[in-house]
Amino acid sequence: MSDAADPRPKVLVARVLLPAGMERLAETCEVIEGGLSASPERLLELAPGAAAIVADPTVAVGDQLLDAAGSELRVVANFAVGHDNVDLEACRRRGIAVTNTPGVLTNATAELALALTLAAARRMSEAEASLRAGAWVGWDPREHLGLELSGASFGIVGMGRIGRRYAELVAPLAGETLYVSRARKPEAERELGVIQVDLAKLLGRADVVSLHVPASPETAGLIGADELRAMSPHAVLINTARGPLIDSAALAEALREGEIGAAGLDVYEGEPAVPAELLEAPRCVLLPHIGSATARARAAMARLAADNVLAVLGGSEPPNRVA
Ligand code: 8YV
């Protein structure tokens, strides 16, 4: 139950929310924050009586948390476009709306995928680490040789908003852009000249493979040992989507064995832990899930999460319902 002395609906922000969202919520709601280190147990303690939960990809929203919140819960607003952390069925069964924050992070995430593409292709992390370690003692024309991207074949797995924006960003470099998608994208084909192929063809041909599909049972392990073997020895693999898409042990081995050229990763299975084999793998740029981390995108995500909460609590259709 909500605090009897406070008639406002209670919103549980599972971890933290930027002021752009907090201020909106605080105008009409009682807002409780779990904080960055809120454990699942702590969230169960905070949840009772919540009318809304603002979650993020690190917060598992399933039967336990929903039951702890109880019958007043009406909406789970995810601070992310991905919603694999939320058990949609469990929410549907209870008549709880689920929302996400699409669109406002498309540029930020596609730009990070481009940055990772350039950084991995040119082996920037290793080169900088060697400079910082004082190992740059003379110029060696054989060192840090990377992949030149002008004229390269780009392969985009998933042609949703972020995949399409990535296609636009790489267009000035790309010799060709192939894509894999369940549905054909005639408009992107017309405007960007992208070509739909199957995954086997894309892996066999692309110099850069960038993943832009959500995590789901169908996409888990999408890139495993066989797929890595099918790629060119110089190819660059980029993942700004979700960690479980790639078998990280197989990727580390492919990098060690020279089966692919380089990898650029922003996401991992079991975040914030990073698989040890990847930390040790060569030619690998690793970032701590910062795809949407621009000031503009994160403020807009916070506003959108708040708008979704307020719409449902106010009895109207939320702008970004996923269930
Ligand atoms: C994170 C993301 O939400 O939108 C997504 O699906 O993975 C990111 O935008 C963000 O990093 C906050 O956790």
Side-chain angles (χ1 to χ4, degrees):
M1 290 294 289
S2 295
D3 181 350
D6 193 337
R8 297 171 303 167
K10 170 170 153 178
V11 177
L12 171 60
V13 171
R15 297 179 75 248
V16 292
L17 189 65
L18 294 175
M22 281 303 258
E23 282 158 14
R24 251 175 224 209
L25 291 174
E27 283 170 18
T28 51
C29 305
E30 175 199 359
V31 187
I32 296 172
E33 264 189 320
L36 284 180
S37 55
S39 63
E41 295 72 33
R42 179 73 185 133
L43 292 179
L44 295 180
E45 282 167 21
L46 293 174
I53 296 177
V54 178
D56 70 34
T58 65
V59 178
V61 182
D63 284 322
Q64 245 199 331
L65 187 60
L66 299 172
D67 285 344
S71 59
E72 286 178 44
L73 185 62
R74 293 165 61 194
V75 56
V76 172
N78 220 32
F79 178 75
V81 64
H83 45 74
D84 46 295
N85 58 305
V86 183
D87 182 341
L88 298 187
E89 258 323 298
C91 291
R92 277 193 198 107
R93 279 198 302 274
R94 291 166 173 82
I96 297 165
V98 180
T99 64
N100 67 345
T101 60
V104 293
L105 46 66
T106 300
N107 286 331
T109 309
E111 286 170 20
L112 191 84
L114 174 63
L116 270 175
T117 304
L118 292 163
R122 298 303 297 273
R123 304 172 64 172
M124 286 189 199
S125 289
E126 288 169 65
E128 185 175 1
S130 113
L131 175 149
R132 287 179 184 276
W136 186 31
V137 287
W139 188 74
D140 182 341
R142 297 162 302 183
E143 260 182 356
H144 305 308
L145 301 186
L147 175 70
E148 195 162 305
L149 292 173
S150 295
S153 171
F154 283 78
I156 302 180
V157 181
M159 193 50 92
R161 294 183 192 82
I162 299 172
R164 191 197 191 286
R165 182 64 184 139
Y166 178 79
E168 279 173 6
L169 293 177
V170 299
L173 292 170
E176 66 173 4
T177 301
L178 311 175
Y179 76 98
V180 170
S181 170
R182 269 192 307 215
R184 202 172 153 206
K185 304 286 178 171
E187 183 263 354
E189 292 184 9
R190 240 186 352 266
E191 293 198 354
L192 300 169
V194 298
I195 302 161
Q196 188 180 27
V197 293
D198 61 22
L199 184 62
K201 172 118 191 247
L202 182 144
L203 294 173
R205 190 167 162 128
D207 302 304
V208 175
V209 175
S210 190
L211 306 182
H212 300 282
V213 288
S216 71
E218 298 83 65
T219 59
L222 183 71
I223 305 294
D226 290 345
E227 289 73 22
L228 290 158
R229 230 169 278 124
M231 291 170 65
S232 310
H234 63 258
V236 174
L237 176 64
I238 303 300
N239 190 9
T240 53
R242 282 294 183 266
L245 302 181
I246 298 180
D247 175 340
S248 51
L251 173 57
E253 187 175 340
L255 287 163
R256 272 196 313 271
E257 298 300 318
E259 282 172 8
I260 70 165
L265 309 176
D266 186 43
V267 287
Y268 312 89
E269 188 154 20
E271 293 172 16
V274 179
E277 61 266 20
L278 289 177
L279 290 169
E280 281 153 25
R283 305 183 310 285
C284 195
V285 180
L286 304 176
L287 297 177
H289 200 151
I290 58 168
S292 66
T294 66
R296 182 198 283 175
R298 286 280 167 84
M301 289 165 70
R303 274 194 295 274
L304 211 46
D307 288 348
N308 279 303
V309 167
L310 295 173
V312 175
L313 298 187
S316 46
E317 183 58 20
N320 311 108
R321 181 195 280 275
V322 294

